[in-house]
Amino acid sequence: MTFRFHALVPLCLAALLWVAAPAMALEKVTLQLKHVHQFQFAGYYAAQQLGYYKEAGLEVRILEGADGNAPERDVIAGKAEYGTGSSSLLLARMAGKPVVVLGVIFQHSPYALAMRQTGGDADLRRLIGKRAMIGTLNDELGNADELLAFLTKEGVPPSSFQRVEHSFNPDDLINGKVDAMAVYTTNEPDTFDRLGFPYDIYSPRSVGIDFYGDNLFTSEQEIRDHPERVRAFRTASMRGWQWAMSHQEQMADIILSKYSRRSDRQHLLYEARQMVPLVQPVLVEIGYMNPDRWRHIAEVYAGLGMMPGNAVFDGFMYRLDSTPGSLAWLYRALGGVAVLLVLGAAIHFSRLARERKRALEAIRTGEQRFRTMFEASPLGIALIDSVTYEYRDINARYQEILGRSQHELRALHWLDVGHPDDIVQIKAQMALLSTQQISSFKTVSRLFKPDGSVAWIDVSVNAIEAEAGSHPHHLCMIEDVTAKKQNEQLIWQQANFDTLTQLPNRRMFLDRLAHDMLKSRRDKSRLAILFIDLDHFKEVNDTLGHHQGDILLIDAARRIGACVRKSDTVARLGGDEFTVILTELDTPDHVERIAQAILDRLRQPFDLGQEQAFVSASIGITLFPDDALDIDDLLKHADQAMYAAKGAGRNRYSYFTPTLQVAAINRMRLTNDLRGALKGQQFELYFQPIVHLASGAIHKAEALIRWNHPQRGLVSPLEFIPLAEASGLIIDIGEWVFRESARWVACWRRQHYPDFQISLNQSPLEFQREGGSYQCWLEHLQSLALPGQSLVVEITEGLLLDASSAVSNRLLQLRDAGIQVALDDFGTGYSSLSYLKKFDIDYLKIDRSFTRNLAPDSSDMALSEAIIVMAHKLDLKVIAEGVETPEQRDLLAAAGCDYGQGYLFAKPMPAAEFDVFLRDNAMPSASSIVKSN
């Protein structure tokens, strides 16, 4: 006996080790998802991170899916043991693929169709003849079947519209690339809402096509070879799902930290909230599946011709008591019962009693679990009598959302606190629910809280089966979306209104203009557009600062608004540009009165704290339908009229005329020709001598650009330089002028005079350009062995108004390089005399407007003498422009003017002619120069 006991010890130890082995070494399995990581698969992440899989003896690898069919392919091929799939798994089973559904996660499919909202009633038939993204085109099995069945049932068969390859990119619908796209109601609507995109959602459930959503599945081989592993994996997964759906905030953090940051936290929580009514974790045990629902899905597929009617799909649904090991135990138990039936009747009844007690305990546990989930749900839930609208049961969250206690709600009826405008729609839906035409519905509604405030709620109502003879009931689930609605309103406000002036912005302006034009066509009336641009606003910004400029804009918006009717629209397009839409015009006089009123109001001083600012306005006016029939042309014509008002002297209004259009077209064509002028070598430099008045020597010249247009001939700089500045071509043209000037000054320094100088004009745009530098000039001068003194840069007085560091730095850069600076047209601008002391200026050029009328004892003579004396006191040289008579030359020379320039000495001439001119007039007297001309 002792021997036998010792002999059994090793066998017992071996058995214990064999039983303990799974706990020591985890079994490795793979779960293949059908999409990328998101809250849609939260339960599996929870089971992984909380250790449920490890407790089950499993080491689980969770893989993202490249396409929806990846799980089915990999599970069948043995690359993965488990996968997530749609209801199309039923088609796979009927096609002979050994897939078995372990449990249903989504009791209702999130798949739906999204289309742009048109403003009218939602109508699915507008998809006919349009483009839609519904499933991948090479996908034989997929959620596309669910939508195609829905569309067919609604009278929109697949042949009536064009299916295109699904990009899964919401931008394709937003930008109009397609007219409809298949979406998950848990996903894309959040993107649409954030972007302010108006959309309609069409769900197959609205016509009774109610598919299951995500399903956990495996293969028959996995069940056959590893029944306990299958049971353990399923149990751990469902535990994970229960935790994930009741801990949404923590679950979102886990996904962001461990799995994916493609979506932000706000989107993950949106997805979680939308999943609650689809998964129904409070009402249905996660994983539960109903054979009748699968039969409904099979009938839909049969209606599409995708599977035979009355098909048998035994073995497709996993049963916890159907594993081979369980059947073997059942057979042995039945055999034992048969043997012991006669001998152990008492034991049998005792077991029945214990089973009954266990069943009652399970029922109590289930009821307790349901009550716990009911009370702890993040949704407000109430059970309501569908006839009397009395509350039968209410959870804490429902009371919190309504702001009333359970006692207060028991004294009320459902909908008593609802908004009257929304109650009508809900009652209409309840009528359909009561007559069993629908089993559920969703809506967005408003309710009044005790403090009088209005809250927005998402409402989901589901019919509940009632006992025979009792009133029908329904379950109402609500979620407070007030914050979301407020955010949507804020986003809409920001998208359609200017944040500074609170006027409609360009987007809202265009919407209102389109609406007003339609109304004008219908009523056969006129409307006018006023395009308003503030004159001299830039000077306010530059001198007083942008904050004061903003205050002025706000006041200007108020003044403009006070001049029009409430039915008219005032908008700010940006900067200092405003527009006004005047509707239902009786006479043109009405437009002129309003335009003049706006001019008068804007001309009044603006109080900006301690300062006052004065601006005016230029207004362009265009009429619909007289001047144009579409929005683009109307705005273009108003803009042209506004520029005509500016060109006529500002502080006035101008109507659009066809002449303005012709001028605008000419400017456009000339600008287009200008773009090819430099490459086509159509530019040429002309030079005009600058004469030393005391000696008559010609040691300087001004470079002047000319454009030899192939068709128009010689184009005046006054015509093309503004176009070059407006188009940005002035930068390249200025560079060409510099290089040509450098080439010629090098030649004339060698051949005529070693210190010869050429003056070249610089546009303010060239001088002030971002990143502008004279370093490339200096390098080019060095390559030609030219000193900086060979050039003089002529700038206008207006540049000195901008006392920015950029202007100062460029003037310093010129001085350091030896390049001299001349202040052109002196006396006609706004510069202060203090600027002459502050900046390094070498020459003042007296404007021709002073020289033209020079006479002894004249005011022009007095001003010219004052400029010359002042300049010499500051060590500046003076050049007088526009010298055309010997008398002008003699008066200037007598006043001490250093240089003269004008037709008296020579007109501007091409470089080759100027070269001959220099040879012919080498060091002549001033009088001989006059005779030679």
Side-chain angles (χ1 to χ4, degrees), residues 816-835:
D816 294 342
I819 299 175
Q820 294 183 309
V821 177
L823 200 58
D824 199 10
D825 301 332
F826 185 76
T828 61
Y830 304 98
S831 67
S832 166
L833 296 181
S834 64
Y835 288 129

PDB file of all heavy atoms in Angstrom, residues 816-835:
ATOM      1  N   ASP A 816      27.218 102.940 -46.370  1.00  0.00           N
ATOM      2  CA  ASP A 816      28.429 102.162 -46.131  1.00  0.00           C
ATOM      3  C   ASP A 816      29.068 101.695 -47.421  1.00  0.00           C
ATOM      4  O   ASP A 816      30.283 101.505 -47.484  1.00  0.00           O
ATOM      5  CB  ASP A 816      28.098 100.951 -45.251  1.00  0.00           C
ATOM      6  CG  ASP A 816      27.667 101.366 -43.849  1.00  0.00           C
ATOM      7  OD1 ASP A 816      27.945 102.530 -43.469  1.00  0.00           O
ATOM      8  OD2 ASP A 816      27.041 100.543 -43.152  1.00  0.00           O
ATOM      9  N   ALA A 817      28.257 101.496 -48.478  1.00  0.00           N
ATOM     10  CA  ALA A 817      28.801 101.046 -49.758  1.00  0.00           C
ATOM     11  C   ALA A 817      29.275 102.208 -50.612  1.00  0.00           C
ATOM     12  O   ALA A 817      29.815 101.992 -51.711  1.00  0.00           O
ATOM     13  CB  ALA A 817      27.734 100.248 -50.512  1.00  0.00           C
ATOM     14  N   GLY A 818      29.047 103.442 -50.165  1.00  0.00           N
ATOM     15  CA  GLY A 818      29.460 104.607 -50.941  1.00  0.00           C
ATOM     16  C   GLY A 818      28.445 105.039 -51.969  1.00  0.00           C
ATOM     17  O   GLY A 818      28.696 105.989 -52.734  1.00  0.00           O
ATOM     18  N   ILE A 819      27.301 104.375 -52.054  1.00  0.00           N
ATOM     19  CA  ILE A 819      26.249 104.765 -52.997  1.00  0.00           C
ATOM     20  C   ILE A 819      25.506 105.948 -52.424  1.00  0.00           C
ATOM     21  O   ILE A 819      25.019 105.911 -51.293  1.00  0.00           O
ATOM     22  CB  ILE A 819      25.289 103.589 -53.261  1.00  0.00           C
ATOM     23  CG1 ILE A 819      26.046 102.413 -53.886  1.00  0.00           C
ATOM     24  CG2 ILE A 819      24.140 104.020 -54.161  1.00  0.00           C
ATOM     25  CD1 ILE A 819      25.196 101.165 -54.060  1.00  0.00           C
ATOM     26  N   GLN A 820      25.407 107.034 -53.216  1.00  0.00           N
ATOM     27  CA  GLN A 820      24.769 108.237 -52.719  1.00  0.00           C
ATOM     28  C   GLN A 820      23.252 108.184 -52.925  1.00  0.00           C
ATOM     29  O   GLN A 820      22.748 107.404 -53.730  1.00  0.00           O
ATOM     30  CB  GLN A 820      25.364 109.469 -53.417  1.00  0.00           C
ATOM     31  CG  GLN A 820      26.833 109.695 -53.061  1.00  0.00           C
ATOM     32  CD  GLN A 820      27.384 110.950 -53.708  1.00  0.00           C
ATOM     33  OE1 GLN A 820      27.252 111.152 -54.913  1.00  0.00           O
ATOM     34  NE2 GLN A 820      28.025 111.801 -52.905  1.00  0.00           N
ATOM     35  N   VAL A 821      22.529 109.037 -52.161  1.00  0.00           N
ATOM     36  CA  VAL A 821      21.064 109.037 -52.176  1.00  0.00           C
ATOM     37  C   VAL A 821      20.574 110.440 -52.510  1.00  0.00           C
ATOM     38  O   VAL A 821      21.052 111.430 -51.938  1.00  0.00           O
ATOM     39  CB  VAL A 821      20.489 108.592 -50.826  1.00  0.00           C
ATOM     40  CG1 VAL A 821      18.957 108.679 -50.839  1.00  0.00           C
ATOM     41  CG2 VAL A 821      20.936 107.177 -50.486  1.00  0.00           C
ATOM     42  N   ALA A 822      19.632 110.520 -53.449  1.00  0.00           N
ATOM     43  CA  ALA A 822      19.005 111.784 -53.823  1.00  0.00           C
ATOM     44  C   ALA A 822      17.531 111.731 -53.459  1.00  0.00           C
ATOM     45  O   ALA A 822      16.868 110.702 -53.659  1.00  0.00           O
ATOM     46  CB  ALA A 822      19.166 112.049 -55.313  1.00  0.00           C
ATOM     47  N   LEU A 823      17.018 112.841 -52.918  1.00  0.00           N
ATOM     48  CA  LEU A 823      15.599 112.936 -52.569  1.00  0.00           C
ATOM     49  C   LEU A 823      14.887 113.631 -53.719  1.00  0.00           C
ATOM     50  O   LEU A 823      15.054 114.824 -53.947  1.00  0.00           O
ATOM     51  CB  LEU A 823      15.437 113.719 -51.262  1.00  0.00           C
ATOM     52  CG  LEU A 823      14.126 113.516 -50.508  1.00  0.00           C
ATOM     53  CD1 LEU A 823      13.921 112.049 -50.177  1.00  0.00           C
ATOM     54  CD2 LEU A 823      14.137 114.343 -49.231  1.00  0.00           C
ATOM     55  N   ASP A 824      14.075 112.833 -54.473  1.00  0.00           N
ATOM     56  CA  ASP A 824      13.459 113.320 -55.702  1.00  0.00           C
ATOM     57  C   ASP A 824      12.200 114.137 -55.388  1.00  0.00           C
ATOM     58  O   ASP A 824      11.525 113.924 -54.379  1.00  0.00           O
ATOM     59  CB  ASP A 824      13.103 112.118 -56.580  1.00  0.00           C
ATOM     60  CG  ASP A 824      12.905 112.513 -58.033  1.00  0.00           C
ATOM     61  OD1 ASP A 824      13.216 113.656 -58.388  1.00  0.00           O
ATOM     62  OD2 ASP A 824      12.456 111.652 -58.805  1.00  0.00           O
ATOM     63  N   ASP A 825      11.869 115.071 -56.303  1.00  0.00           N
ATOM     64  CA  ASP A 825      10.634 115.870 -56.217  1.00  0.00           C
ATOM     65  C   ASP A 825      10.501 116.577 -54.872  1.00  0.00           C
ATOM     66  O   ASP A 825       9.407 116.633 -54.276  1.00  0.00           O
ATOM     67  CB  ASP A 825       9.395 114.982 -56.455  1.00  0.00           C
ATOM     68  CG  ASP A 825       9.441 114.302 -57.812  1.00  0.00           C
ATOM     69  OD1 ASP A 825      10.062 114.864 -58.725  1.00  0.00           O
ATOM     70  OD2 ASP A 825       8.863 113.200 -57.933  1.00  0.00           O
ATOM     71  N   PHE A 826      11.605 117.087 -54.355  1.00  0.00           N
ATOM     72  CA  PHE A 826      11.569 117.678 -53.021  1.00  0.00           C
ATOM     73  C   PHE A 826      10.644 118.900 -53.001  1.00  0.00           C
ATOM     74  O   PHE A 826      10.642 119.727 -53.904  1.00  0.00           O
ATOM     75  CB  PHE A 826      12.981 118.107 -52.585  1.00  0.00           C
ATOM     76  CG  PHE A 826      13.024 118.626 -51.169  1.00  0.00           C
ATOM     77  CD1 PHE A 826      12.975 117.754 -50.104  1.00  0.00           C
ATOM     78  CD2 PHE A 826      13.079 119.993 -50.918  1.00  0.00           C
ATOM     79  CE1 PHE A 826      12.999 118.222 -48.801  1.00  0.00           C
ATOM     80  CE2 PHE A 826      13.098 120.472 -49.619  1.00  0.00           C
ATOM     81  CZ  PHE A 826      13.063 119.581 -48.549  1.00  0.00           C
ATOM     82  N   GLY A 827       9.883 118.974 -51.911  1.00  0.00           N
ATOM     83  CA  GLY A 827       8.977 120.110 -51.741  1.00  0.00           C
ATOM     84  C   GLY A 827       7.542 119.815 -52.091  1.00  0.00           C
ATOM     85  O   GLY A 827       6.656 120.615 -51.806  1.00  0.00           O
ATOM     86  N   THR A 828       7.283 118.657 -52.713  1.00  0.00           N
ATOM     87  CA  THR A 828       5.901 118.332 -53.107  1.00  0.00           C
ATOM     88  C   THR A 828       5.281 117.288 -52.197  1.00  0.00           C
ATOM     89  O   THR A 828       4.089 117.020 -52.291  1.00  0.00           O
ATOM     90  CB  THR A 828       5.866 117.788 -54.551  1.00  0.00           C
ATOM     91  OG1 THR A 828       6.652 116.595 -54.615  1.00  0.00           O
ATOM     92  CG2 THR A 828       6.437 118.820 -55.505  1.00  0.00           C
ATOM     93  N   GLY A 829       6.093 116.658 -51.349  1.00  0.00           N
ATOM     94  CA  GLY A 829       5.583 115.574 -50.520  1.00  0.00           C
ATOM     95  C   GLY A 829       5.283 116.009 -49.104  1.00  0.00           C
ATOM     96  O   GLY A 829       4.997 117.169 -48.838  1.00  0.00           O
ATOM     97  N   TYR A 830       5.392 115.026 -48.153  1.00  0.00           N
ATOM     98  CA  TYR A 830       4.990 115.263 -46.775  1.00  0.00           C
ATOM     99  C   TYR A 830       6.158 115.225 -45.801  1.00  0.00           C
ATOM    100  O   TYR A 830       5.966 115.203 -44.615  1.00  0.00           O
ATOM    101  CB  TYR A 830       3.976 114.182 -46.337  1.00  0.00           C
ATOM    102  CG  TYR A 830       2.767 114.099 -47.219  1.00  0.00           C
ATOM    103  CD1 TYR A 830       2.688 113.140 -48.236  1.00  0.00           C
ATOM    104  CD2 TYR A 830       1.698 114.971 -47.039  1.00  0.00           C
ATOM    105  CE1 TYR A 830       1.573 113.070 -49.050  1.00  0.00           C
ATOM    106  CE2 TYR A 830       0.585 114.895 -47.855  1.00  0.00           C
ATOM    107  CZ  TYR A 830       0.528 113.935 -48.855  1.00  0.00           C
ATOM    108  OH  TYR A 830      -0.571 113.869 -49.656  1.00  0.00           O
ATOM    109  N   SER A 831       7.380 115.168 -46.326  1.00  0.00           N
ATOM    110  CA  SER A 831       8.498 114.920 -45.427  1.00  0.00           C
ATOM    111  C   SER A 831       8.752 116.104 -44.515  1.00  0.00           C
ATOM    112  O   SER A 831       8.585 117.254 -44.890  1.00  0.00           O
ATOM    113  CB  SER A 831       9.766 114.608 -46.222  1.00  0.00           C
ATOM    114  OG  SER A 831      10.188 115.733 -46.941  1.00  0.00           O
ATOM    115  N   SER A 832       9.169 115.798 -43.298  1.00  0.00           N
ATOM    116  CA  SER A 832       9.564 116.810 -42.334  1.00  0.00           C
ATOM    117  C   SER A 832      11.038 117.128 -42.542  1.00  0.00           C
ATOM    118  O   SER A 832      11.820 116.269 -42.958  1.00  0.00           O
ATOM    119  CB  SER A 832       9.326 116.296 -40.914  1.00  0.00           C
ATOM    120  OG  SER A 832       9.979 117.120 -39.982  1.00  0.00           O
ATOM    121  N   LEU A 833      11.412 118.397 -42.247  1.00  0.00           N
ATOM    122  CA  LEU A 833      12.821 118.777 -42.396  1.00  0.00           C
ATOM    123  C   LEU A 833      13.715 117.981 -41.453  1.00  0.00           C
ATOM    124  O   LEU A 833      14.900 117.804 -41.712  1.00  0.00           O
ATOM    125  CB  LEU A 833      12.978 120.285 -42.125  1.00  0.00           C
ATOM    126  CG  LEU A 833      12.263 121.215 -43.120  1.00  0.00           C
ATOM    127  CD1 LEU A 833      12.527 122.659 -42.745  1.00  0.00           C
ATOM    128  CD2 LEU A 833      12.721 120.944 -44.545  1.00  0.00           C
ATOM    129  N   SER A 834      13.099 117.449 -40.371  1.00  0.00           N
ATOM    130  CA  SER A 834      13.917 116.675 -39.433  1.00  0.00           C
ATOM    131  C   SER A 834      14.443 115.398 -40.073  1.00  0.00           C
ATOM    132  O   SER A 834      15.479 114.862 -39.666  1.00  0.00           O
ATOM    133  CB  SER A 834      13.089 116.326 -38.189  1.00  0.00           C
ATOM    134  OG  SER A 834      12.008 115.490 -38.542  1.00  0.00           O
ATOM    135  N   TYR A 835      13.735 114.898 -41.086  1.00  0.00           N
ATOM    136  CA  TYR A 835      14.203 113.690 -41.764  1.00  0.00           C
ATOM    137  C   TYR A 835      15.515 113.934 -42.490  1.00  0.00           C
ATOM    138  O   TYR A 835      16.323 113.024 -42.645  1.00  0.00           O
ATOM    139  CB  TYR A 835      13.142 113.194 -42.762  1.00  0.00           C
ATOM    140  CG  TYR A 835      11.931 112.596 -42.099  1.00  0.00           C
ATOM    141  CD1 TYR A 835      10.653 113.001 -42.446  1.00  0.00           C
ATOM    142  CD2 TYR A 835      12.071 111.614 -41.123  1.00  0.00           C
ATOM    143  CE1 TYR A 835       9.536 112.457 -41.829  1.00  0.00           C
ATOM    144  CE2 TYR A 835      10.970 111.061 -40.509  1.00  0.00           C
ATOM    145  CZ  TYR A 835       9.707 111.483 -40.859  1.00  0.00           C
ATOM    146  OH  TYR A 835       8.607 110.933 -40.252  1.00  0.00           O
TER     147      TYR A 835
END
